[in-house]
Amino acid sequence: MHGDLGMIVRGDVVLALSASGETEEILRLLATIKRLQVPLISMTCDEVVEREAGGGARSTLASSSTLAAASDIALDVSISKEACSLGLAPTASTTAMLALGDACGCVVGEARFKEEDFANLHPGGKLGNGWRGLSR
């Protein structure tokens, strides 16, 4: 809320993560995200269900959280129980979001990069060196 939103421009996509979907810091950004007309994808631990629109028209998403309801795409990362002994601290939920985020990154990577791009874009370390040896 202090100027970092200036980094978001048309063509970007905002990925917002919140177990409850009611995190104040994220909800305060919704109006600006909508004003900038950038797509919003959310990951919440809040059940997202399809419901039928009036007159048998196409389905719309219903959610109990503000964030998921405001999102263009709402990903349900519900877990049965947090790992902390009180069942309150985000533990299993953050791990589930991390795993889904990795999966999304892999899909985008497969669509945008080829093996030879990896060495050019990751020139250092063992990973970059290993890929340089893969000549086709």
Side-chain angles (χ1 to χ4, degrees):
M1 297 306 295
H2 294 280
D4 290 340
L5 285 172
M7 296 181 354
I8 300 173
V9 297
R10 286 206 172 129
D12 286 348
V13 174
V14 172
L15 175 60
L17 288 70
S18 170
S20 68
E22 299 297 336
T23 306
E24 182 183 340
E25 306 92 279
I26 293 176
L27 297 183
R28 291 177 61 195
L29 305 175
L30 292 179
T32 303
I33 291 168
K34 293 300 178 190
R35 182 176 50 81
L36 294 173
Q37 298 178 343
V38 296
L40 174 61
I41 300 172
S42 65
M43 287 188 201
T44 64
C45 295
D46 131 74
E47 188 175 352
V48 178
V49 296
E50 286 191 330
R51 66 177 179 199
E52 197 162 311
R58 45 191 264 223
S59 296
T60 57
L61 293 178
S63 171
S64 59
S65 80
T66 304
L67 177 60
S71 299
D72 298 292
I73 298 172
L75 302 174
D76 180 0
V77 193
S78 295
I79 52 144
S80 60
K81 182 180 172 187
E82 292 290 3
C84 91
S85 62
L86 297 175
L88 299 173
T91 47
S93 60
T94 56
T95 302
M97 288 181 187
L98 177 67
L100 183 56
D102 281 352
C104 291
C106 288
V107 169
V108 170
E110 287 177 16
R112 296 188 60 178
F113 300 104
K114 298 183 179 6
E115 289 180 7
E116 54 271 14
D117 295 329
F118 194 86
N120 292 329
L121 299 172
H122 195 291
K126 187 175 180 179
L127 290 176
N129 289 330
W131 281 97
R132 267 191 284 286
L134 293 176
S135 58
R136 297 201 185 254

